[in-house]
Amino acid sequence: MPTLEEVKDYLGIDYDDEKSERNIKCYIKVAKKYLDSAIDNFDDLRRDERVKQLALFIIEDLYDRKATSVKESSSLMKLKNSL
């Protein structure tokens, strides 16, 4: 899973803000829980760069929508299924 700093870099956030960081930490947890339940062998793939990229896509969507639930798009489904 990506770290807080990796997510901030990915989202282009170059400042420190407690509220944003709390939200991002929440989004990281949501992405992890989603991937853990959506991918059968998630524990085996945890260090796979594709998992990190998929988590970043999910986190970006959650951040943009200010949401706490994953909205499955066709692109997300294809990436998830490829794992």
Side-chain angles (χ1 to χ4, degrees), residues 5-48:
E5 290 305 315
E6 289 172 325
V7 173
K8 286 176 66 176
D9 286 346
Y10 182 79
L11 297 175
I13 299 172
D14 59 357
Y15 54 88
D16 291 327
D17 175 62
E18 273 187 48
K19 184 177 179 184
S20 292
E21 289 182 5
R22 266 195 322 272
N23 289 338
I24 291 169
K25 287 176 184 178
C26 176
Y27 301 148
I28 291 170
K29 288 179 186 177
V30 170
K32 181 184 178 299
K33 286 183 185 228
Y34 170 79
L35 292 171
D36 189 32
S37 66
I39 300 173
D40 291 335
N41 55 342
F42 179 70
D43 286 334
D44 297 336
L45 296 171
R46 201 175 285 259
R47 289 187 171 85
D48 190 317

Side-chain angles (χ1 to χ4, degrees), residues 37-76:
S37 66
I39 300 173
D40 291 335
N41 55 342
F42 179 70
D43 286 334
D44 297 336
L45 296 171
R46 201 175 285 259
R47 289 187 171 85
D48 190 317
E49 281 298 313
R50 295 174 299 167
V51 171
K52 184 184 280 189
Q53 189 61 51
L54 186 53
L56 288 169
F57 289 150
I58 292 168
I59 294 165
E60 179 182 34
D61 179 60
L62 293 169
Y63 180 82
D64 289 346
R65 294 185 303 115
K66 305 292 186 239
T68 56
S69 63
V70 176
K71 181 179 176 185
E72 287 196 3
S73 66
S74 60
S75 298
L76 182 62

